[in-house]
């Protein structure tokens, strides 16, 4: 969803929430595994990117433009008065560039296309949600053990696939979380057979994904507490914007409230 017009983190949260509640109607528990790609924008391989553009049948003018835009890029590091020698760069695109979201989406589209074919051939029922370099596997099943197996296999496949495309999964940031509406205390199974990460993945009481705080039952109490306190703290900080003799006029306070407070207090309210 990231990098696409009219799509934001809120769309990802609404989609995930809808997916979870749809599973609950069928008495299925939803398990998720979130992973992050290390240094995503600075690791995109230029030759692979040009090949993807060619296979996508873009106009020859577009291909020629990107051949000039990406090939023979040189870079030097500056630190105070120190200047390093010039290096040839065959990977990476500018993270602040307007082209970066488009190129990264095209780069990932081929990866996820191959990944979905692998999962389909292996008959692994896992859905994929991606927001730029934040990937998410979603598995729904009556058994948590089956869901853990599905997302574990998917994680192994995507790790190997990303390596072939010159990208690396940041295993330290990998998280697993389960959603269940069963009554009483919920003790999900740990994902304890992860040789890639080298440690046990355990589901916590709350999970932060794209700035949202999820809990096992989708009550969003922690999310509301966090952002309501943040909004109140921001309101109190508004006093610092006045001087010693005169504070902010009501019109300025109103403008600050609409622009700075409401977006914090209402972040993700659609879900």
């Amino acid at each position: 969803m990231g990098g696409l017009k009219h799509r934001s983190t809120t769309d990802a949260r609404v989609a995930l929430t809808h997916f979870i509640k749809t599973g609950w109607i069928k008495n299925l528990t939803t398990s998720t595994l979130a992973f992050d790609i290390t240094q995503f924008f600075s690791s995109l391989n230029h030759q692979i990117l040009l090949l993807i553009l060619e296979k996508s049948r873009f106009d020859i003018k577009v291909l020629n433009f990107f051949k000039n835009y990406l090939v023979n890029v040189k870079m030097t590091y500056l630190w105070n008065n120190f200047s390093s020698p010039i290096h040839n760069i065959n990977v990476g695109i500018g993270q602040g560039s307007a082209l970066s979201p488009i190129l990264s989406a095209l780069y990932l589209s081929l990866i996820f296309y191959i990944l979905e074919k692998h999962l389909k051939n292996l008959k692994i029922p896992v859905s994929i949600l991606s927001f730029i370099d934040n990937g998410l596997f979603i598995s729904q099943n009556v058994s948590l053990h089956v869901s853990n197996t599905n997302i574990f296999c998917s994680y192994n496949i995507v790790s190997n696939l990303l390596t072939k495309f010159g990208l690396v999964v940041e295993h330290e940031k990998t998280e697993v979380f389960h959603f269940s509406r069963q009554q009483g205390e919920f003790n999900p199974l740990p994902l304890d057979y992860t040789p890639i990460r080298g440690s046990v993945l355990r589901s916590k009481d709350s999970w932060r994904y794209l700035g949202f705080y999820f809990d096992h039952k989708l009550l969003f109490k922690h999310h509301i507490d966090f952002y309501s306190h943040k909004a109140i703290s921001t309101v109190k900080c508004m006093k610092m914007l006045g001087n010693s003799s005169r504070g902010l006029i009501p019109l300025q306070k109103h403008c600050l409230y609409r622009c700075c407070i409401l977006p914090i207090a209402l972040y993700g309210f659609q879900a």
Side-chain angles (χ1 to χ4, degrees):
M1 291 188 175
L4 302 179
K5 282 186 176 182
H6 311 300
R7 292 291 181 269
S8 66
T9 55
T10 300
D11 295 291
R13 175 179 174 172
V14 170
L16 178 58
T17 303
H18 173 75
F19 199 89
I20 295 166
K21 291 192 174 183
T22 302
W24 285 351
I25 294 174
K26 303 175 184 178
N27 294 319
L28 301 176
T29 299
T30 301
S31 300
T32 61
L33 186 145
F35 62 92
D36 188 78
I37 302 175
T38 306
Q39 298 293 320
F40 177 57
F41 286 104
S42 59
S43 301
L44 300 186
N45 186 282
H46 294 167
Q47 296 302 323
I48 295 178
L49 187 54
L50 289 174
L51 185 60
I52 292 173
L53 294 174
E54 184 178 347
K55 293 294 183 180
S56 302
R57 297 185 179 180
F58 279 91
D59 189 270
I60 189 65
K61 293 180 180 179
V62 177
L63 292 176
N64 290 334
F65 168 78
F66 280 105
K67 284 180 180 179
N68 291 323
Y69 178 73
L70 295 171
V71 177
N72 295 326
V73 179
K74 300 181 184 297
M75 181 176 67
T76 181
Y77 292 96
L78 298 177
W79 184 264
N80 293 333
N81 295 326
F82 169 76
S83 173
S84 72
I86 296 177
H87 301 277
N88 292 321
I89 303 297
N90 61 353
V91 295
I93 55 178
Q95 188 164 351
S97 169
L99 291 171
S100 298
I102 301 171
L103 294 176
S104 61
L106 288 169
Y107 202 94
L108 283 177
S109 63
L110 179 60
I111 296 175
F112 285 125
Y113 174 76
I114 298 172
L115 174 62
E116 287 180 345
K117 289 187 68 175
H118 280 313
L119 296 177
K120 186 177 181 180
N121 292 335
L122 295 173
K123 297 181 180 180
I124 301 176
V126 168
S127 300
I128 308 165
L129 183 66
S130 172
F131 195 88
I132 308 180
D133 59 345
N134 294 287
L136 186 69
F137 288 120
I138 307 170
S139 177
Q140 291 184 321
N141 201 283
V142 177
S143 169
L144 277 179
H145 178 73
V146 174
S147 294
N148 268 353
T149 303
N150 289 337
I151 58 178
F152 167 73
C153 294
S154 304
Y155 185 56
N156 274 328
I157 294 171
V158 76
S159 296
N160 294 328
L161 186 59
L162 287 170
T163 301
K164 293 179 180 179
F165 277 80
L167 302 173
V168 179
V169 175
E170 196 166 353
H171 301 297
E172 290 74 17
K173 292 185 178 181
T174 302
E175 295 178 296
V176 63
F177 199 80
H178 306 278
F179 297 90
S180 175
R181 61 176 179 178
Q182 70 181 41
Q183 300 298 321
E185 187 177 355
F186 177 61
N187 295 313
L189 295 171
L191 192 60
D192 56 0
Y193 42 94
T194 52
I196 294 177
R197 191 171 189 266
S199 60
V200 177
L201 286 174
R202 298 184 183 275
S203 182
K204 301 177 182 177
D205 294 332
S206 63
W207 170 49
R208 186 176 187 269
Y209 177 65
L210 299 177
F212 306 108
Y213 290 88
F214 289 91
D215 55 84
H216 299 293
K217 299 182 184 297
L218 289 183
L219 300 177
F220 297 119
K221 289 183 178 179
H222 183 68
H223 179 88
I224 294 170
D225 287 342
F226 178 84
Y227 282 101
S228 60
H229 281 88
K230 187 175 182 179
I232 292 171
S233 300
T234 308
V235 170
K236 292 180 179 179
C237 290
M238 285 171 55
K239 298 177 181 179
M240 299 171 59
L241 298 176
N243 55 39
S244 57
S245 61
R246 180 168 58 90
L248 297 173
I249 63 174
L251 183 61
Q252 292 172 335
K253 291 181 180 179
H254 174 77
C255 183
L256 281 171
Y257 178 78
R258 293 293 299 271
C259 297
C260 301
I261 310 301
L262 284 183
I264 296 174
L266 301 179
Y267 183 60
F269 81 98
Q270 293 90 342

